């Protein structure tokens, strides 16, 4: 089968789209590379190279002396495991059946709209319980736990509100951490808890970037230290902004560490 | 023995709750979510048991992460497929020392306060807690990444 330059471009673009969605959903670099290799390999196209950066992905494909390089930008990464798994399943199916590029692109579009999400109320409740559990693990007393659950739930509501308006990640982190820490500390004080400081800190744990932190290390272990380092720096910056907000909340509530 | 078992049970219950909450936040499907809960309970149970036997926090966290990853990517591979890595990560989230990291950064802020006394003690405490955070996070990452590298994980 002879592939024209335009055919190579279509393959490169759809591979970039799949890689972009995977990256946004929280996949590691190794997964992105495997995605590119699977989509190219089934068509007899050689994946000459793929560079996965924090904000962009570049792919170079080659076949019969023709080669093409295309790049796509990547929005700030998040975590969406169901969409991540759905895209992986689609890529595997596309690779096994050598699915036409147009069909793959159309099904990817459909997935992005059809993959279900938990309702907001359930996410807010789950985050509240998770942070209260965190507080319990850290040694907060029972009186502080309801305050932590309510404060972190309120923080999650604010996070979703700001996220949907496209507000900068670090502004979101600062605002959410400040609100959650303040409410958590205040609630613990009003309920008579002796672990007000733990409640204040635990209420912000919904923001701890656990997936990027583990991805950073896995990327380095897998041999991609550049993106691993970039992820580690972003994790560090998020933690610095959370700490600044906790510090402000402590000042507002006159809590001594 | 009984108090240790009670502590392990309490930590496992809270670990399961935290891992499930983060699983919902990460939009994990219902079946992997059940494995997240089981993994979170296993992680905290192993870590608490090891801490109870005098193992350091960093080593206990590393061994707990290895156990959970072997559970997800080894024992449950048939049922989880490419979800195994995501389940292992979500299950280890309750062990991320986020509160300690925030505290160590607050310690750094406190070092620059005008009335900080005694400076040597504050500095030592802050650096020690910062190092413990680095080693604990490193332990989690290594505990997930190394078994997956050995088991040749199936990503697709």
């Amino acid at each position: 089968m002879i592939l024209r330059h335009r055919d190579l471009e279509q393959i490169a673009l759809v591979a970039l789209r799949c890689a972009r969605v995977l990256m946004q959903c929280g996949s590691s670099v190794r997964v992105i590379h495997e995605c590119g290799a699977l989509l190219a390999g089934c068509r007899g196209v050689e994946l000459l190279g793929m560079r996965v950066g924090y904000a962009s992905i570049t792919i170079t494909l080659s076949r019969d002396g023709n080669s093409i390089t295309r790049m796509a930008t990547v929005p700030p990464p998040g975590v969406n495991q169901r969409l991540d798994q759905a895209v992986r399943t689609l890529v595997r199916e596309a690779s096994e059946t050598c699915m036409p590029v147009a069909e793959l692109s159309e099904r990817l579009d459909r997935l992005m709209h059809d993959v279900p999400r938990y309702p907001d109320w359930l996410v807010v409740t789950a985050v509240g319980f998770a942070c209260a559990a965190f507080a319990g693990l850290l040694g907060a007393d029972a009186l502080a736990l309801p305050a932590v659950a309510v404060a972190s739930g309120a923080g999650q509501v604010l996070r979703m509100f700001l996220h949907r308006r496209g507000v900068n990640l670090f502004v979101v982190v600062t605002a959410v951490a400040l609100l959650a820490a303040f409410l958590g500390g205040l609630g613990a004080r009003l309920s008579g808890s002796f672990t007000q400081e733990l409640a204040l800190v635990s209420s912000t744990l919904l923001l701890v970037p656990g997936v990027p932190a583990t991805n950073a290390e896995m990327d380095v272990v897998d041999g991609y230290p550049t993106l691993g380092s970039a992820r580690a720096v972003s994790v560090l910056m998020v933690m610095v902004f959370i700490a600044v907000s906790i510090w402000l909340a402590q000042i507002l509530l006159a809590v001594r560490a | 023995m009984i108090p240790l078992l009670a502590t392990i049970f309490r930590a496992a219950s809270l670990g399961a709750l935290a891992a499930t909450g983060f699983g919902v936040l990460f939009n994990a499907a219902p079946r992997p979510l059940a494995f997240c809960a089981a993994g979170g309970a296993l992680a905290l149970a192993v870590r608490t048991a090891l801490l109870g036997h005098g193992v350091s926090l960093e080593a206990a966290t590393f061994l707990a992460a290895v156990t959970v990853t072997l559970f997800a990517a080894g024992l449950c591979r048939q049922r989880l497929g490419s979800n195994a890595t995501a389940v292992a990560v979500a299950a280890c989230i309750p062990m991320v020392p986020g509160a300690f990291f925030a505290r160590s950064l607050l310690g750094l802020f406190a070092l620059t306060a005008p009335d900080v006394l005694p400076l040597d003690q504050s500095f030592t405490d802050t650096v020690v807690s910062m190092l413990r955070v680095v080693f604990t996070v490193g332990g989690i990452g290594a505990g997930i990444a190394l078994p997956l590298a050995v088991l040749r994980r199936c990503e697709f």
Side-chain angles (χ1 to χ4, degrees):
Chain A
M1 182 173 65
I2 295 175
L3 284 180
R4 295 171 302 162
H5 200 257
R6 180 176 292 181
D7 298 321
L8 275 181
E9 181 179 43
Q10 294 306 313
I11 297 168
L13 290 177
V14 80
L16 280 176
R17 285 194 64 210
C18 291
R20 192 172 186 257
V21 176
L22 287 172
M23 183 90 178
Q24 271 184 279
C25 292
S27 282
S28 65
V29 180
R30 178 181 157 139
V31 173
I32 313 286
H33 274 259
E34 280 186 30
C35 164
L38 282 172
L39 291 177
C42 71
R43 293 170 175 82
V45 174
E46 189 184 353
L47 177 67
L48 284 185
M50 198 164 184
R51 190 200 63 84
V52 183
Y54 190 77
S56 65
I57 306 174
T58 310
I59 190 169
T60 301
L61 300 178
S62 168
R63 162 107 188 228
D64 301 330
N66 283 329
S67 67
I68 193 165
T69 298
R70 286 292 178 267
M71 187 179 90
T73 55
V74 180
V79 184
N80 186 340
Q81 287 185 359
R82 262 196 271 197
L83 181 57
D84 181 86
Q85 290 304 316
V87 174
R88 290 189 202 200
T89 305
L90 176 63
V91 167
R92 190 181 62 230
E93 186 190 334
S95 157
E96 287 169 356
T97 61
C98 208
M99 188 183 287
V101 169
E103 185 185 341
L104 174 57
S105 188
E106 187 192 319
R107 286 185 58 182
L108 183 64
D109 282 336
R110 231 183 301 148
L111 271 187
M112 290 170 69
H113 290 101
D114 294 351
V115 167
R117 292 199 76 107
Y118 290 109
D120 288 352
W121 67 264
L122 182 60
V123 176
V124 169
T125 309
V127 164
F129 277 112
C131 288
F134 255 125
L137 285 170
L138 293 173
D141 59 28
L143 289 171
L145 302 187
V148 172
V150 172
S152 52
Q156 178 61 22
V157 170
L158 179 64
R159 174 152 80 168
M160 291 189 297
F161 175 80
L162 294 175
H163 180 71
R164 283 169 189 159
R165 274 149 190 80
V167 177
N168 177 283
L169 169 71
F170 295 104
V171 176
V172 174
V173 167
T174 308
V176 172
L178 181 57
L179 176 75
F182 180 77
L183 290 180
L186 185 66
R189 177 183 291 178
L190 294 176
S191 59
S193 165
F194 291 103
T195 51
Q196 195 183 343
E197 192 225 344
L198 273 178
L200 192 144
V201 173
S202 305
S203 303
T204 65
L205 292 180
L206 71 155
L207 294 164
V208 170
V211 172
T214 45
N215 267 344
E217 201 156 351
M218 284 167 68
D219 288 344
V220 174
V221 170
D222 286 338
Y224 306 105
T226 314
L227 183 58
S229 310
R231 286 200 216 256
V233 169
S234 75
V235 166
L236 185 67
M237 288 303 294
V238 166
M239 294 308 298
V240 168
F241 279 85
I242 293 173
V244 168
S245 299
I246 292 172
W247 180 59
L248 285 172
Q250 282 187 332
I251 292 171
L252 288 172
L253 292 167
V255 175
R256 286 199 68 82
Chain B
M1 192 64 185
I2 298 293
L4 179 62
L5 285 177
T7 309
I8 291 172
F9 179 76
R10 179 178 179 274
S13 307
L14 292 172
L17 189 56
T20 308
F22 275 88
V24 172
L25 183 63
F26 299 157
N27 199 30
R31 197 169 70 165
L33 202 56
F35 283 93
C36 288
L42 180 64
L44 267 296
V46 170
R47 188 171 79 161
T48 309
L50 291 171
L51 288 172
H53 285 89
V55 180
S56 69
L57 174 70
E58 298 80 4
T61 305
F62 170 72
L63 291 171
V66 169
T67 308
V68 166
T69 309
L70 290 175
F71 162 76
L75 288 176
C76 306
R77 194 175 193 168
Q78 295 293 326
R79 291 183 182 181
L80 287 172
S82 58
N83 275 304
T85 309
V87 166
V89 171
C92 287
I93 294 282
M95 296 194 295
V96 172
F100 296 109
F101 188 57
R103 277 182 182 172
S104 57
L105 283 178
L106 290 171
L108 288 178
F109 292 144
L111 284 177
T112 58
D115 59 345
V116 58
L117 281 173
L119 184 60
D120 285 352
Q121 189 58 44
S122 306
F123 183 75
T124 308
D125 289 348
T126 302
V127 170
V128 166
S129 55
M130 191 76 88
L131 287 174
R132 296 199 76 174
V133 168
V134 170
F135 293 143
T136 307
V137 170
I140 294 172
I144 295 173
L146 294 179
L148 289 175
V150 173
L151 290 170
R152 293 179 58 119
R153 63 189 188 260
C154 148
E155 297 288 15
F156 282 87

